[in-house]
């Protein structure tokens, strides 16, 4: 029984780690986009509205998916 709990916790940790790495990757990409836009602005180019407004929603969606998977495993 304890070994089963340990495996469950390991799976939960892996899922959380994967989710965090995906969020970190998206944040890095967003930072790069913002840095590029900042450089364009400093160079005198017009401001574009291409910054993604869905990034916080993407992170929330990933968090909820991870939580959902964890809860489903706990139910089984």
């Amino acid at each position: 029984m304890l070994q089963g709990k340990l495996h469950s916790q390991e799976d939960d940790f892996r899922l959380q780690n994967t989710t965090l790495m995906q969020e970190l990757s998206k944040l890095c990409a967003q930072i790069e986009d913002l840095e590029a836009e900042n450089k364009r602005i400093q160079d005198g180019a017009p401001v574009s509205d291409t910054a993604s407004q869905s990034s916080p929603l993407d992170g929330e969606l990933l968090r909820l998916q991870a939580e959902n998977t964890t809860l489903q495993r706990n139910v089984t």
Side-chain angles (χ1 to χ4, degrees), residues 31-47:
I31 288 170
E32 289 174 359
D33 291 343
L34 290 172
E35 286 176 342
E37 185 174 352
N38 189 25
K39 180 152 177 48
R40 285 192 303 270
I41 290 170
Q42 288 177 350
D43 291 342
V47 178

